């Protein structure tokens, strides 16, 4: 009895250490996506390259996004631990090289290297979290990771500003080293992989991985730079889109012939996974409105300082994790799909309400809407992620999780391009074809240089209102996807997980049959559906 209790305590301690490592890794990935923003003036002043500095963000985003499917498949083939270790190591090497950059070109190249590591971190962390916890406990760990991501993403600009002001911009990369090294040590020491059945590993589809990387990189470059570096209908834009479509065709041909493709066909043939992919893509689309355009609205229309504008946005991160953590009490009663429908319906109402705010209004009004939006999206996102991860076994969970995150990232990129064009179009119509949203917002930072500031603010208000209407339409599209494509009940997979690895020193023994049967009964009751077998293609 005492030996059993000791073994249980050791398993709990080891799982807690792994969760701590996952939270640290998640914080690194979230911080690095935003921490550079406030240091751009100092970086440009030190290294030059003002005309291409936007690639500090675009390069990282492209590398992290296009590698998500590749890392997801690799984690299913070789295990989560080697992929997570390789991602951490690559990220830390990229951080060191970024701190040593000698010009803007080298810094951009090293940011791309960082992004290659960041892609491994984003998807693998979510997959390991699902591996560690049974269905009933997954909302708790996913809510923790959501909280870490939200807090780190919001804190990034503030941390970057402090380091730049009181130290040097290179420290925004060096700060990753102690945190990442400690997380890496925890992973190596405490994360133990399950034993894979003999013969289960297949050859890696490297041609498919290269084709996916090329297709994603070309298309994302066209979306990120279109309307910024060149016009949408210009020769570079059209050439990139044509090359991207050609690469997509190559991906389809290669993946259809591959024995074990990077993006397997079942990702889109299974209704739960396809529905969640499209739904999370719509989420990425609508999230562009608050994350990209709300700070401009707060500073230009409400005339708030950058700190106040950041608060209006960050208040969403207060309600999102709380709502996500409480969502389990809802989907236990009505199911994953219905809970997500309630959440996205509430989000659509909030987004449609934004254009109804008075001009210029008070800061508490958009802040209240963002608080409600965070609560609605927490009720929407987490049930879908937990639900779709529960429909697949260990050997498919990495690919499934990566496909969901990949679609969300693609949605954000498409949303930034589409809504940017909408905002600039409305602004040009209001101002007679003069300027863009960025240029107008910068001119409003210096009121003395603007002859008719109120007219410019009203134009910005109308442009952001149009973006929020577009985001509300994306929420409605997501609602239709859930209603028409998602199954009423997600089929929870009851296949047993692989046996624990022998390197766990005998502490992680397989659970008795009685415990397995009890968990299966709980999971079946949780979703009020009978256990079903694995999907077959």
């Amino acid at each position: 009895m005492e030996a059993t209790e000791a073994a249980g305590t050791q398993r709990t301690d080891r799982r807690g250490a792994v969760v701590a490592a996952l939270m640290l890794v998640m914080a690194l990935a979230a911080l690095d996506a935003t921490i550079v923003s406030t240091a751009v003036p100092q970086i440009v002043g030190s290294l030059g390259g003002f005309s291409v500095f936007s690639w500090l963000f675009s390069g990282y985003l492209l590398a992290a996004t296009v590698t998500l499917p590749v890392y997801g498949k690799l984690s299913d083939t070789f295990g989560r631990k080697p992929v997570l270790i390789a991602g951490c190591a690559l990220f830390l090497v990229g951080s060191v090289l970024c701190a040593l950059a000698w010009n803007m070109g080298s810094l951009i190249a090293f940011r791309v290297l960082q992004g290659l590591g960041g892609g491994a971190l984003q998807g693998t962390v979510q997959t390991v979290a699902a591996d560690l916890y049974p269905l009933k406990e997954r909302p708790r760990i996913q809510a923790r990771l959501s909280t870490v991501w939200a807090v780190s993403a919001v804190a990034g600009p503030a941390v970057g500003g402090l380091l730049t002001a009181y130290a040097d911009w290179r420290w925004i990369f060096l700060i990753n080293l102690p945190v990442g090294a400690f997380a890496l040590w925890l992973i190596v020491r405490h994360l133990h992989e399950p034993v894979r059945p003999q013969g289960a590993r297949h050859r890696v589809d490297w041609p498919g991985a290269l084709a996916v990387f090329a297709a994603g990189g070309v298309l994302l470059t066209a979306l990120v730079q279109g309307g910024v570096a060149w016009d949408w209908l210009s020769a570079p834009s059209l050439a990139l889109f044509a090359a991207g479509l050609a690469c997509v065709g190559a991906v389809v041909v290669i993946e259809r012939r591959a024995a074990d493709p990077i993006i397997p066909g079942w990702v889109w043939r299974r209704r739960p996974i396809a529905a969640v992919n499209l739904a999370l893509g719509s989420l990425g689309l609508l999230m562009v409105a608050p994350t990209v355009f709300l700070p401009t609205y707060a500073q230009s229309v409400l005339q708030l300082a950058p700190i106040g504008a950041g608060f209006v946005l960050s208040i969403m991160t207060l309600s999102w994790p709380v709502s996500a953590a409480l969502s389990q009490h809802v989907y236990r009663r009505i199911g994953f799909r219905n809970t997500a429908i309630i959440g996205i319906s509430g989000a659509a109402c909030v987004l449609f309400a934004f254009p109804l705010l008075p001009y210029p209004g008070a800061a508490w009004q958009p802040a209240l809407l963002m608080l409600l939006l965070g609560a609605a999206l927490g009720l929407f996102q987490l049930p879908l992620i937990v639900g779709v991860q529960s429909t697949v076994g260990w050997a498919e969970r990495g690919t499934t999780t990566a496909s969901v995150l990949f679609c969300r990232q693609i949605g954000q990129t498409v949303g930034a391009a589409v809504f940017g064009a909408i905002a600039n179009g409305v602004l040009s119509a209001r101002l007679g074809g003069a300027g863009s949203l960025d240029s107008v917002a910068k001119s409003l930072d210096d009121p003395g240089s603007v002859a008719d500031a109120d007219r410019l603010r009203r134009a910005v208000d109308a442009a952001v209102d149009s973006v929020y209407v577009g985001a509300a339409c994306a929420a409605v599209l997501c609602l239709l996807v859930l209603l028409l494509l998602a199954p009423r009940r997600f089929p929870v997979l009851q296949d047993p997980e692989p046996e624990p690895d022998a390197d766990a020193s005998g502490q992680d023994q397989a659970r008795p049959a009685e415990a397995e049967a009890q968990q299966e009964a709980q999971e079946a009751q949780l979703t009020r559906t009978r256990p079903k077998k694995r999907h077959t293609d």
Side-chain angles (χ1 to χ4, degrees), residues 282-283 285-299 301-302 309-316 320 344-357 363 365-374 377 415 418-424 426 437 459-477:
S282 300
L283 173 64
L285 195 69
L286 69 87
M287 280 300 296
V288 172
T291 57
V292 176
F293 292 91
L294 183 62
T296 300
Y297 171 87
Q299 294 185 64
V301 178
L302 302 181
F311 173 77
V312 173
L313 173 61
S314 64
I315 197 170
M316 181 173 63
W320 190 320
I344 199 61
S345 299
C349 294
V350 173
L351 292 168
F352 274 123
F354 189 91
L356 303 179
L357 294 178
Q365 295 168 333
L368 176 60
L369 290 183
M370 291 305 99
L371 188 70
L372 297 175
L373 182 63
L377 294 179
V418 171
F419 292 149
I422 291 175
N424 289 333
V426 172
L437 185 62
V460 172
D461 179 64
V464 176
D465 285 348
S466 300
V467 169
Y468 268 84
V469 170
C473 293
V476 172
L477 177 63

Side-chain angles (χ1 to χ4, degrees), residues 386-400:
V386 173
V388 77
Q389 287 179 332
S390 303
T391 65
V392 295
W394 190 95
E396 298 176 342
R397 193 171 292 143
T399 299
T400 301

Side-chain angles (χ1 to χ4, degrees), residues 16-27:
V18 174
V19 170
L22 297 181
M23 294 175 72
L24 289 175
V25 168
M26 183 67 77

Side-chain angles (χ1 to χ4, degrees), residues 374-434:
L377 294 179
L379 202 61
F380 161 76
Q381 180 181 356
L382 186 61
L384 290 182
I385 292 179
V386 173
V388 77
Q389 287 179 332
S390 303
T391 65
V392 295
W394 190 95
E396 298 176 342
R397 193 171 292 143
T399 299
T400 301
T401 303
S403 72
V404 170
L405 298 180
F406 178 73
C407 289
R408 188 180 66 183
Q409 292 282 80
I410 292 294
Q412 288 179 334
T413 306
V414 173
V418 171
F419 292 149
I422 291 175
N424 289 333
V426 172
L427 204 64
S428 297
R430 290 283 184 131
L431 301 178

Side-chain angles (χ1 to χ4, degrees), residues 212-537:
V212 169
F213 190 88
V218 173
L219 287 176
L220 287 177
T221 300
L223 291 170
V224 169
Q225 296 298 106
V228 179
W230 48 69
D231 294 333
W232 285 107
L233 298 179
S234 65
S237 185
L238 295 177
L240 281 174
F241 278 114
L245 293 177
C247 290
V248 170
V251 169
V252 174
V253 173
I254 293 173
E255 296 299 83
R256 287 175 66 105
R257 296 178 178 178
D260 197 11
I262 292 293
I263 303 180
W266 54 259
V267 168
W268 293 104
R269 287 197 295 268
R270 299 180 189 175
R271 286 182 61 195
I273 302 176
V276 173
N277 281 343
L278 294 175
L280 268 293
S282 300
L283 173 64
L285 195 69
L286 69 87
M287 280 300 296
V288 172
T291 57
V292 176
F293 292 91
L294 183 62
T296 300
Y297 171 87
Q299 294 185 64
S300 300
V301 178
L302 302 181
Q303 303 182 54
L304 298 178
I307 295 178
F311 173 77
V312 173
L313 173 61
S314 64
I315 197 170
M316 181 173 63
T317 65
L318 300 178
S319 56
W320 190 320
V322 174
S323 175
L326 297 177
S327 66
Q328 59 179 313
H329 302 293
V330 182
Y331 68 66
R332 284 180 183 178
R333 296 178 179 273
I334 64 176
F336 298 115
R337 171 180 176 266
N338 292 336
T339 304
I341 286 174
I342 293 174
I344 199 61
S345 299
C349 294
V350 173
L351 292 168
F352 274 123
F354 189 91
L356 303 179
L357 294 178
Y359 173 85
W364 67 267
Q365 295 168 333
L368 176 60
L369 290 183
M370 291 305 99
L371 188 70
L372 297 175
L373 182 63
L377 294 179
L379 202 61
F380 161 76
Q381 180 181 356
L382 186 61
L384 290 182
I385 292 179
V386 173
V388 77
Q389 287 179 332
S390 303
T391 65
V392 295
W394 190 95
E396 298 176 342
R397 193 171 292 143
T399 299
T400 301
T401 303
S403 72
V404 170
L405 298 180
F406 178 73
C407 289
R408 188 180 66 183
Q409 292 282 80
I410 292 294
Q412 288 179 334
T413 306
V414 173
V418 171
F419 292 149
I422 291 175
N424 289 333
V426 172
L427 204 64
S428 297
R430 290 283 184 131
L431 301 178
S436 63
L437 185 62
D438 289 338
S439 61
V440 171
K442 290 178 181 178
S443 66
L444 285 172
D445 290 338
D446 185 11
S449 63
V450 180
D452 192 355
D454 184 71
R455 179 168 174 261
L456 294 182
R457 290 192 178 93
R458 288 185 180 275
V460 172
D461 179 64
V464 176
D465 285 348
S466 300
V467 169
Y468 268 84
V469 170
C473 293
V476 172
L477 177 63
C478 181
L479 177 61
L480 293 176
V481 168
L482 294 177
L483 290 172
L484 300 177
L485 184 59
R488 293 179 61 86
R489 300 291 180 186
F490 279 46
V492 175
L493 185 65
Q494 303 299 337
D495 288 352
E497 299 293 336
E499 295 295 326
D501 195 354
D503 68 352
S505 302
Q507 297 166 359
D508 283 345
Q509 299 299 324
R511 287 173 295 184
E514 296 83 1
E516 292 285 356
Q518 181 181 5
Q519 181 187 337
E520 292 182 3
Q522 290 174 348
E523 293 178 355
Q525 182 181 6
L526 183 62
T527 56
R528 291 190 176 183
T529 184
R530 299 180 66 182
K532 298 185 179 182
K533 295 181 180 180
R534 185 189 303 272
H535 296 267
T536 57
D537 296 328

